[in-house]
Structures are given as structure tokens and as C-alpha cells.
Amino acid sequence: NAGVTQTPKFQVLKTGQSMTLQCAQDMNHEYMSWYRQDPGMGLRLIHYSVGAGITDQGEVPNGYNVSRSTTEDFPLRLLSAAPSQTSVYFCASSVQVNTEAFFGQGTRLTVV
Amino acid sequence: GIQVEQSPPDLILQEGANSTLRCNFSDSVNNLQWFHQNPWGQLINLFYIPSGTKQNGRLSATTVATERYSLLYISSSQTTDSGVYFCAVEGGTASKLTFGTGTRLQVTL
């Protein structure tokens, strides 16, 4: 059981570039989510999904896009990277809403 | 939305000391978790504890849901306990975990 796997671990982008952060889980969890963590702060929710084909916005969705075509995968797309998107990104999954969440190891993204 | 406050924000302990970290939340919750973020940035699940008391080795946690707080106890602290401890809650119809800003713990020799 790999749990929640995020790739890449580190990424540097130029302003205006696009990229996809990958997230996969092998626990057959229905609920998946993306958070960002900025220095000195807790994590803030970007987007979430309660099951395949269903996604919704969190607190800070602007500049990000998601889709959920399978139960296992929940990629996060940055459409046109900006320096304000420099952050550490975490993907999480849980059996369903209001159950224990498990986090991936994070992706450290720098936009220059 | 639900507010989460953690105290103290910073804590320095000598190895072997005990400590209590507190998490207050502003509304009823269906989910409360404690995490340890280690110096490498990994978020490690410590407890899933929407109510009651749990223990795992030197760590234990208590959530008093009716009074809207949770406590994390660390006994006989070790240098490997250093890092940031986060409390996160999920409440009402919200489909998200709301995180506190954490308690930064440093354990020294």
C-alpha cells in the first residue's frame, strides 16, 4: 500500500507556464482534496472531490483547475503560473467526508 | 466558517519534559485530527479524535466536543518530536478540514 503519492516533489516554473501536479491514492478513497501551505500558516483548501466525476472549489481556487476521472487520481492544474502560487502543495484522501484524512508528501513549487 | 486556534504558537522544551498543546474551535465538529509536520515537511497523522481520549505511546489526545477544545499531550519529549503540530477540524456541512496555524515545538538536549 503506497497510500497517497504526489509527483513531482520539487518543481520550478517560470511565470506564465502551466503544469500539472499529480496525486494518486491506492486506498479506494472517495474523497480527495488539494491544499496549499504558505510560510507560517496552516493548510488552505484549493479544490476537493467527493467522488469520481465530482469536484468543487475550496477556499483558494483561483488559478487552479482539477478533474476526477477515476477514483484513484486527482490532478491539480496550474493554468498560468504566478509568483503568488509559490507554495507547498499537499494532496489528501479519506474514505469519505468527515473521516480520517491521509496526506501525500507534498510538492514544493517555486514560480519565478 | 469554523475558526481554529492553537496555543501556544511556539514551545521550547528540554528533552524529557512534558507538554500540553491546545486547540480551540468555534463550532461543533464531525472530525478532528492532530498532525505532526516534521522538519522535512511531511504531515504525519497522530490522532483522529472527534471526541474522547486516545493514547499512542508517549502521545495522547483528548477532545471535549461539548466545550470545543482538544488537547495533545506529549510526555518525555525527544528531539524527534520537534516540528509543527497542527490541529484540523471538519464541521457542519463543510467538506473540508480547517487547519489551525500550528504550534512549533523545539526539543533541545
Side-chain angles (χ1 to χ4, degrees):
Chain A
N1 242 2
V4 181
T5 303
Q6 290 183 235
T7 55
K9 287 188 172 48
F10 301 93
Q11 183 71 48
V12 179
L13 287 180
K14 293 183 179 177
T15 297
Q17 285 185 316
S18 62
M19 81 159 294
T20 299
L21 307 186
Q22 301 291 345
C23 176
Q25 52 90 10
D26 61 359
M27 298 176 281
N28 203 31
H29 286 173
E30 290 295 323
Y31 184 80
M32 296 185 74
S33 52
W34 277 101
Y35 291 82
R36 61 177 286 171
Q37 183 179 28
D38 299 304
M41 298 180 70
L43 280 67
R44 292 181 294 167
L45 182 67
I46 305 171
H47 284 285
Y48 66 96
S49 168
V50 299
I54 307 168
T55 63
D56 207 343
Q57 296 182 350
E59 293 175 75
V60 289
N62 292 341
Y64 306 96
N65 213 344
V66 292
S67 60
R68 183 98 179 268
S69 56
T70 67
T71 299
E72 294 78 20
D73 300 298
F74 191 44
L76 179 73
R77 296 182 190 83
L78 280 68
L79 309 172
S80 176
S84 60
Q85 293 178 305
T86 293
S87 190
V88 181
Y89 291 85
F90 288 95
C91 178
S93 77
S94 54
V95 171
Q96 57 187 15
V97 173
N98 292 327
T99 59
E100 187 175 9
F102 296 88
F103 283 78
Q105 293 194 314
T107 295
R108 186 173 296 273
L109 176 69
T110 302
V111 183
V112 298
Chain B
I2 197 165
Q3 307 295 314
V4 182
E5 291 183 359
Q6 292 186 242
S7 59
D10 296 280
L11 191 55
I12 301 175
L13 297 175
Q14 271 201 317
E15 198 172 40
N18 303 329
S19 61
T20 301
L21 282 58
R22 187 176 181 102
C23 172
N24 292 333
F25 42 94
S26 61
D27 206 344
S28 59
V29 298
N30 303 311
N31 178 9
L32 188 146
Q33 291 186 239
W34 283 97
F35 296 91
H36 175 216
Q37 188 166 41
N38 64 23
W40 296 270
Q42 270 184 294
L43 276 170
I44 298 162
N45 287 36
L46 296 178
F47 294 102
Y48 169 72
I49 187 165
S51 63
T53 297
K54 289 187 177 179
Q55 180 152 9
N56 185 3
R58 295 180 297 103
L59 273 60
S60 64
T62 295
T63 297
V64 183
T66 52
E67 297 187 25
R68 299 182 184 167
Y69 73 89
S70 183
L71 302 173
L72 177 69
Y73 304 97
I74 304 174
S75 65
S76 304
S77 58
Q78 301 176 356
T79 55
T80 52
D81 295 330
S82 296
V84 182
Y85 290 80
F86 288 106
C87 168
V89 304
E90 205 165 4
T93 57
S95 300
K96 66 166 188 171
L97 278 171
T98 298
F99 281 76
T101 52
T103 292
R104 184 174 299 275
L105 174 64
Q106 184 180 351
V107 181
T108 62
L109 292 171

